[in-house]
Amino acid sequence: MNRRITEIFVSTTVLFVSCYLLWPPNNVYWVSIGEQIGDSLTIALVLLVAGGVGVGIAIASQISLSNLGIGGGLAYVLGMFLINRTMSPNSPVHLYLYGVLLLCILLGAAAVEFAYRTDNGLLERIH
């Protein structure tokens, strides 16, 4: 049980920081990229990078996918609380955006889980 709590805490922290770095509130560096390549392509790029973050997390850690999902839920709640508390956003778009970012990260991690699953359901890790 102690390992599970540790994995959830680490997941929450890593996913919170990852989402903040991918789309920092009031300081979105993707806007300048969007001006060059267009908004749709920029959003697709951000979501692809988020999936890559999930792949990296899954490969670099031994956190189970379920604990990563729980940590993602906690990171979402924490992030949305902090954004709403400190920024008073004009629209609820951040609720959707961060949810989609977390979903892409989790899908990237799930892809690694699926690709390296053995018969007994454990990941083969190369470290």
Side-chain angles (χ1 to χ4, degrees), residues 25-54:
N26 287 339
N27 189 20
V28 182
Y29 51 85
W30 293 102
V31 171
S32 61
I33 295 172
E35 292 171 354
Q36 302 298 318
I37 64 174
D39 290 340
S40 298
L41 200 53
T42 301
I43 295 293
L45 180 62
V46 171
L47 297 180
L48 183 65
V49 169
V53 168

Side-chain angles (χ1 to χ4, degrees), residues 47-127:
L47 297 180
L48 183 65
V49 169
V53 168
V55 168
I57 290 169
I59 290 173
S61 71
Q62 297 202 6
I63 297 173
S64 73
L65 193 57
S66 63
N67 290 342
L68 193 64
I70 293 168
L74 293 172
Y76 179 81
V77 169
L78 176 63
M80 295 310 95
F81 173 78
L82 290 174
I83 286 173
N84 287 326
R85 193 78 166 149
T86 61
M87 296 185 171
S88 302
N90 294 334
S91 73
V93 72
H94 63 285
L95 296 171
Y96 304 115
L97 179 63
Y98 283 97
V100 171
L101 284 175
L102 281 168
L103 179 63
C104 288
I105 291 171
L106 293 173
L107 286 174
V112 172
E113 171 92 16
F114 180 76
Y116 291 101
R117 188 176 302 236
T118 63
D119 291 339
N120 60 2
L122 299 174
L123 288 177
E124 293 176 350
R125 300 286 184 177
I126 301 172
H127 289 279

